[in-house]
Amino acid sequence: MATPTLARRLKAGETLLTGWVQLADPLVAEAVAASGFPVVNIDCQHGYTGYEAMKANLFGVIAGGGTPIVRIPHGDFAFAARALDLGAEAIIAPMINSAADARRYVEAVKYPPVGERSWGPSRMTHVWGMDKDQWLKEANELQLALAMIETRAAVEAVDEIAAVEGIDGLFIGPADMSVSASQGAAMDPENDSVLKTMDAVAEACNRHGKYATGYAQSPKLADEYRKRGFRLISCGSDYRFICAGAAATLKQFGN
Ligand code: 3PY
Ligand code: MG
């Protein structure tokens, strides 16, 4: 019997590194998970995947021993609900810029009384060994809703977004954050605006009892997250892993 793990591990105080897959091949998703990432995000915003590829990748992650989570396309909350029905243990929703955005998101991904998620957990009740009553009681806690903070508007509204019931955590997107903060002058994930966003997100999450999480484009950013108590830190992507491996192999073989 499979068991959900992410919500429990975070509750127990663990900090977890997350791999990131964008390619539409479950063997790649499996390889990333089997390389040791405890959690693997399937990126359906900028990844090269639709629903069927997301589904295949999700089973690839599970086959590799990882916990699957899914970043949805911008504003596609119906896709989020479908990913949860398949077994994603968290959703990352991009560009949540206001409390109203956060409420619309929660409406789709949490059962009443918190939201209005529609009933359809055939697979999940079966593979997680739950009856319908247990599922209804526990699903809202076991499948997490993470809201991306990656624009100036989102930073201004960060406290109200964190306060929305059903939002389990905030997730920083440093690339978009730096582009928004500089009004298109620079894409620079290590920019001061990103460090300030980390402080604001950490503070809002502490105040409202939510998880602070984010994407790290570099080990330096991962350290900055760790210093501030962030709990889920995403790094790398399958495409970049392949490019880095190919370049390193060429070098090693004397090119
Ligand atoms: C960003 O940095 O903007 C992200 O969305 C992370 O992938
Ligand atoms: Mg982004």
Side-chain angles (χ1 to χ4, degrees):
M1 191 73 64
T3 47
T5 56
L6 179 62
R8 288 176 183 155
R9 291 181 77 171
L10 290 176
K11 207 170 204 169
E14 286 189 61
T15 297
L16 299 166
L17 283 181
T18 305
W20 199 265
V21 298
Q22 298 190 303
L23 301 175
D25 190 327
L27 294 180
V28 174
E30 180 190 51
V32 172
S35 296
F37 280 106
V39 181
V40 177
N41 176 57
I42 300 155
D43 181 14
C44 300
Q45 182 191 21
H46 294 299
Y48 311 103
T49 52
Y51 175 82
E52 290 301 329
M54 180 274 288
K55 182 166 82 170
N57 276 348
L58 186 137
F59 291 116
V61 172
I62 292 170
T67 294
I69 67 176
V70 171
R71 176 163 77 169
I72 58 171
H74 185 180
D76 194 346
F77 302 134
F79 191 97
R82 297 186 78 193
L84 292 176
D85 285 346
L86 264 182
E89 294 197 25
I91 298 294
I92 301 174
M95 297 279 175
I96 298 295
N97 293 332
S98 64
D101 285 353
R103 280 193 290 269
R104 271 196 298 279
Y105 171 31
V106 165
E107 208 172 280
V109 298
K110 299 289 182 181
Y111 293 114
V114 180
E116 290 293 343
R117 178 176 171 187
S118 173
W119 183 262
S122 310
R123 171 175 191 266
M124 299 320 301
T125 47
H126 184 59
V127 301
W128 283 358
M130 293 179 170
D131 67 21
K132 63 180 171 42
D133 297 329
Q134 192 187 0
W135 175 259
L136 189 55
K137 197 158 144 239
E138 295 184 23
N140 281 357
E141 303 275 312
L142 291 176
Q143 296 184 300
L144 306 177
L146 306 177
M148 286 196 77
I149 302 296
E150 50 183 349
T151 63
R152 292 199 307 191
V155 173
E156 275 163 30
V158 69
D159 201 65
E160 294 106 83
I161 295 170
V164 171
E165 187 186 5
I167 293 291
D168 299 297
L170 304 182
F171 186 103
I172 298 179
D176 278 310
M177 190 61 237
S178 65
V179 171
S180 175
S182 68
Q183 282 300 282
M187 201 296 273
D188 173 15
E190 291 181 4
N191 188 275
D192 260 7
S193 65
V194 174
L195 301 180
K196 283 189 189 133
T197 303
M198 288 186 191
D199 291 334
V201 163
E203 211 173 289
C205 285
N206 279 338
R207 197 170 312 123
H208 296 285
K210 308 292 170 82
Y211 295 117
T213 69
Y215 192 91
Q217 274 87 350
S218 63
K220 182 172 170 234
L221 278 184
D223 286 343
E224 295 289 347
Y225 282 130
R226 281 196 195 92
K227 262 199 260 172
R228 292 167 175 83
F230 278 55
R231 305 289 301 289
L232 199 60
I233 301 168
S234 293
C235 47
S237 76
D238 49 1
Y239 190 84
R240 290 189 189 284
F241 296 151
I242 291 168
C243 296
T249 302
L250 265 177
K251 196 163 169 204
Q252 194 184 7
F253 281 74
N255 188 32

